[in-house]
Amino acid sequence: MSALAAKRIVILTGAGISAESGIKTFRAADGLWEEHRIEDVATPEGFAANPERVQRFYNGRRRQLLSDAVKVNPAHIALAELEKRFDGECLLVTQNIDDLHERAGSDDPIHMHGELLKMHCTRSGEVFEIHGDIHAELSCACCGKTGTLRPHVVWFGEMPLQMPCIEAALSQCDLFIAVGTSGNVYPAAGFVQLARHAGAHSIEVNLEASSQHSYFDEHRHGLASEVLPRLCEEILASS
Ligand code: BV8
């Protein structure tokens, strides 16, 4: 039986799936981290030390995400199609904080690292949509105070979201596909090992070998917008 004849699929996406939509990845030569130290803009300590710098970093990314220049690409669309047409279970987990999976038609992907178009109150934890800038004068709808709102994003040292749900799905999946992730950030980088432990067939879709390359059964290297539509059709034809 084909390894693609799956019944329970878990898909993990990273910045590479949105690269062709015009959103910078983290570790490419012109990547996001090239212009900023991770410690300064993606840690609670960095936010405490200089909240304005962190708000500027995310406000700039939010404006870019909402600009006309950023559109879904065939990779996002292929995953949304797979979710709709696949007759088994298909869980999409993304490390990305953009909303391109939703714009492509994916229902309710798990944003394990949070969402750029959301903010939360540091006093109550309540989460709100935000399409504009977050700044110190913005008053919070739940406590009426200013200076309490931060991006609803998981920083280094913070617990990713919905981990129990993700780990349960990985422990039962029979096909695991990672798309556009360098495999440098944990716990997401360890998901392929959890899937292998569950007996799943694992496929890496990436421009080049990721740090977790050796744990994958299969490697399909190339542009996600070209590789993923073909792979999704093969899965649908096999199931
Ligand atoms: C935590 C949100 C625990 C912000 C991000 C071992 C176990 C557990 C933790 C750790 C561990 N070792 C170290 C840690 C700590 C740390 C960590 O992993 N550090 C690394 C640097 C070593 N992890 C954490 O802190 C995590 N939290 O573990 O909590 C805990 C326990 C108890 C109590 C409290 C806490 C939290 C990590 C989340 C950090 N937040 N993002 C933001 O987005 O601004 S991470 C950030 O980098 C992104 O979200 C992204 O997810 C992540 C990884 O980047 P990628 O998506 O992989 O992007 P990258 O640029 O690296 O790669 C892109 C790939 O695409 C490339 O390979 C490229 O070739 C490819 N590509 C490019 N174009 C294309 C393409 N592929 C196909 N087609 C294309 N067109």
Side-chain angles (χ1 to χ4, degrees):
M1 183 170 76
S2 156
L4 298 183
K7 282 293 165 229
R8 291 174 306 284
I9 307 175
V10 174
I11 301 160
L12 172 69
T13 62
I17 199 170
S18 296
E20 293 168 82
S21 294
I23 295 185
K24 281 184 177 177
T25 63
F26 289 85
R27 293 167 184 82
D30 63 344
L32 278 169
W33 301 136
E34 288 308 302
E35 299 148 29
H36 304 275
R37 281 169 14 100
I38 288 181
E39 298 75 11
D40 292 338
V41 293
T43 62
E45 297 77 11
F47 183 62
N50 189 337
E52 292 75 23
R53 171 166 54 190
V54 175
Q55 299 290 18
R56 272 199 308 278
F57 177 60
Y58 288 96
N59 289 342
R61 289 171 68 186
R62 192 173 306 108
R63 275 190 233 122
Q64 190 219 11
L65 176 60
L66 294 175
S67 72
D68 294 342
V70 171
K71 299 196 183 332
V72 300
N73 70 59
H76 298 108
I77 293 165
L79 290 185
E81 276 297 296
L82 178 67
E83 284 176 65
K84 285 185 178 50
R85 292 165 50 196
F86 181 63
D87 62 5
E89 292 161 36
C90 185
L91 176 68
L92 176 58
V93 181
T94 185
Q95 300 174 87
N96 300 339
I97 61 176
D98 64 56
D99 65 333
L100 296 182
H101 284 304
E102 290 87 341
R103 289 193 215 174
S106 286
D107 293 326
D108 200 22
I110 292 183
H111 283 273
M112 64 179 290
H113 291 163
E115 296 176 67
L116 191 51
L117 300 181
K118 289 183 179 169
M119 61 183 176
H120 72 246
C121 172
T122 52
R123 288 164 56 94
S124 69
E126 194 167 343
V127 178
F128 307 94
E129 294 278 336
I130 176 80
H131 281 216
D133 287 356
I134 307 175
H135 49 78
E137 297 72 49
L138 195 60
S139 67
C140 175
C142 75
C143 59
K145 294 193 175 307
T146 59
T148 63
L149 293 161
R150 60 162 274 187
H152 185 56
V153 161
V154 176
W155 286 326
F156 289 93
E158 295 182 326
M159 179 57 89
L161 307 175
Q162 301 195 57
M163 283 303 292
C165 172
I166 297 169
E167 286 162 346
L170 287 167
S171 68
Q172 290 149 12
C173 73
D174 50 14
L175 180 58
F176 175 74
I177 305 169
V179 185
T181 179
S182 62
N184 286 311
V185 173
Y186 289 85
F191 287 177
V192 60
Q193 295 182 61
L194 296 179
R196 284 181 69 85
H197 186 69
H201 181 70
S202 53
I203 305 175
E204 170 182 84
V205 175
N206 209 48
L207 264 190
E208 73 234 333
S210 76
S211 308
Q212 307 302 320
H213 173 270
S214 58
Y215 291 109
F216 285 88
D217 297 307
E218 206 179 323
H219 308 89
R220 302 209 183 183
H221 291 164
L223 292 171
S225 64
E226 291 170 7
V227 172
L228 208 49
R230 279 201 304 272
L231 174 59
C232 290
E233 284 308 321
E234 284 178 44
I235 291 168
L236 289 166
S238 308
S239 58

